[in-house]
Amino acid sequence: MEVIAHRGASGYLPEHTLPAKALAHAMGADYLEQDVVASRDGQLVVLHDIHVDRVTDVAERFPARCRDDGRYYAIDFTMDELRTLTVNERCNADGKAVYPNRYPVEKNNFRLHTLDEEIRFIRGLNRSTGRSAGIYPEIKKPAWHKQEGIDLSVAVIETLLAHGYRSAEDPVYLQCFDAAETRRIRVELQCDMKLVQLIGENSWNESATNYDALRTGAGLQMLLKYADAVGPRIQHLYSLDASGTPVASQFALAVRSSGIACHPYTLRADELPAGFKDVATLVTFLQKEARVNGVFADHPDLAKVAINRR
C-alpha cells in the first residue's frame, strides 16, 4: 500500500511548504501531494484552498484586499505578492489552530511557491537521495477558476507535460473532485496520465458533482470509463457494527470487485476516524478489509511504519 503525503508531512510542519515536502520525502512517502490554484497573473500556486487567509498573514499585510465576503483569494494577488506572505499552520476563522498540538501558529519564514518550483524541488530530492517519490497534483475548483478567466486544468497539464509527465507509466496521479472536469481531462484534453476521481460530501459544495450518486453501482461504472483510481473519504469505506467494530461498506466491496485503484483520505494520527484506536488498526483495516492501494496521510512516517509491520 502506497503512502501519499497529504499536503506534505502536514502533521508536523505547515501544509504545502517545501520543508513539509522535504520531511515527507525523508519519511519515505511514495507520492507527495500538490493542491493547485491560480494567481492573478496565471501562476500555478501550491495551496489547498482558493483562499489564502487561513494559512497566511495576508490580512495583516494586505488588509484592504479582501472580497465582500471577507475572504482573501489567491487569484486576486500576483505571484510576487503571494511570495511576500508567510505561511502558518492552518487556522480556523477565529485564528486558532485547527490542530492545536501541531506546529505552533507563530511568525516564521515559510513561503508559498509554484507547482513548477515544487516539481523541481522533488526531482532534486529524488536525485540527491537516490529514492523516487512521485507527484500527486489536484486541480482545485476548476469551474470556479473558469469563471475567473483561467482554465486551470489546461495550465496544470501543460506544466506536467513540460516536466516530462505524459503517460500512465509516469510517477504522477492527477486528481480532481469535479467529475465533469475529470472526464473532460481524459476525453477532451486527451490526458493519458493516471486520473483520480475524488469523492467528497455533497454538503461541502466542492463542485456540482453528486457524490452520493458516484458511490452507487452505476456511479462506479461511470468512473471506470475515465478514471484510474478513486479517492473517497476513509469514512466512505466502512460502517460500525453493533459492537462498534468497523466493517467494510458496500461501496468498499464494490470498489474492490471493480478492480479500480482506491486511495482514501485522510489518515491523521491526531484525528482518527470513529472505531479505530490507533494508526495500526486503521492501516490493518484498510489493507485487509477495504484492500486499498494507497492512503493519504498527514503523518506519512506513522503510516509507513504501520504498513511495514504487516
Side-chain angles (χ1 to χ4, degrees):
M1 185 166 78
E2 294 179 314
V3 173
I4 304 126
H6 185 241
R7 312 179 203 173
S10 56
Y12 303 101
L13 286 166
E15 66 185 54
H16 282 321
T17 58
L18 292 181
K21 302 303 170 72
L23 182 57
H25 193 284
M27 288 175 167
D30 301 288
Y31 286 85
L32 307 182
E33 185 193 32
Q34 303 80 33
D35 294 306
V36 184
V37 304
S39 67
R40 189 172 69 191
D41 49 346
Q43 296 292 303
L44 299 180
V45 191
V46 179
L47 185 70
H48 181 261
D49 306 311
I50 56 175
H51 314 105
V52 292
D53 43 273
R54 297 292 188 263
V55 292
T56 75
D57 60 348
V58 65
E60 179 181 332
R61 291 179 177 268
F62 298 97
R65 296 281 289 277
C66 62
R67 293 194 181 186
D68 291 342
D69 60 1
R71 303 300 302 271
Y72 294 78
Y73 291 74
I75 206 165
D76 292 335
F77 298 85
T78 66
M79 192 63 215
D80 284 345
E81 289 173 327
L82 291 172
R83 290 186 195 280
T84 68
L85 307 178
T86 59
V87 179
N88 51 257
E89 182 67 27
R90 176 169 290 273
C91 294
N92 292 308
D94 60 6
K96 295 181 180 179
V98 174
Y99 299 100
N101 294 322
R102 294 190 181 184
Y103 198 89
V105 178
E106 59 186 22
K107 288 293 184 180
N108 57 62
N109 199 37
F110 298 116
R111 302 285 171 170
L112 295 173
H113 58 274
T114 66
L115 177 61
D116 176 78
E117 289 165 341
E118 179 158 331
I119 293 174
R120 293 178 187 276
F121 182 73
I122 293 170
R123 287 194 158 180
L125 290 173
N126 286 347
R127 179 176 177 177
S128 62
T129 64
R131 65 171 299 270
S132 180
I135 62 172
Y136 211 117
E138 179 185 342
I139 296 169
K140 301 292 295 187
K141 291 190 175 291
W144 181 88
H145 275 91
K146 284 180 185 176
Q147 293 174 358
E148 297 288 324
I150 291 180
D151 192 329
L152 191 61
S153 295
V154 169
V156 170
I157 290 171
E158 286 178 347
T159 297
L160 297 177
L161 291 172
H163 282 280
Y165 297 101
R166 299 183 179 280
S167 74
E169 284 69 50
D170 293 320
V172 57
Y173 283 92
L174 185 57
Q175 56 177 334
C176 189
F177 274 103
D178 189 322
E181 189 68 8
T182 313
R183 288 195 301 272
R184 173 184 176 241
I185 290 168
R186 177 69 82 208
V187 178
E188 180 183 329
L189 302 183
Q190 299 184 333
C191 177
D192 293 325
M193 291 171 252
K194 295 183 289 290
L195 300 185
V196 183
Q197 179 59 61
L198 296 171
I199 298 180
E201 303 292 351
N202 290 345
S203 60
W204 296 351
N205 295 317
E206 181 67 33
S207 74
T209 302
N210 184 337
Y211 299 113
D212 293 341
L214 280 187
R215 296 200 304 275
T216 65
L220 187 56
Q221 288 303 309
M222 181 183 69
L223 286 178
L224 293 172
K225 296 178 181 178
Y226 65 86
D228 300 283
V230 60
R233 298 181 70 204
I234 289 173
Q235 289 84 347
H236 293 153
L237 299 180
Y238 78 98
S239 60
L240 299 178
D241 66 14
S243 67
T245 301
V247 294
S249 66
Q250 288 301 310
F251 177 67
L253 296 175
V255 170
R256 275 172 46 181
S257 64
S258 75
I260 194 171
C262 184
H263 299 169
Y265 62 91
T266 306
L267 187 158
R268 296 183 173 102
D270 51 0
E271 190 181 58
L272 291 165
F276 298 98
K277 64 179 181 179
D278 52 33
V279 170
T281 57
L282 177 54
V283 166
T284 297
F285 172 84
L286 292 175
Q287 287 186 300
K288 292 184 64 177
E289 304 300 327
R291 298 185 190 175
V292 305
N293 309 88
V295 63
F296 286 84
D298 283 12
H299 302 84
D301 58 334
L302 301 182
K304 293 291 286 189
V305 167
I307 290 167
N308 292 336
R309 281 179 179 168
R310 287 200 39 76

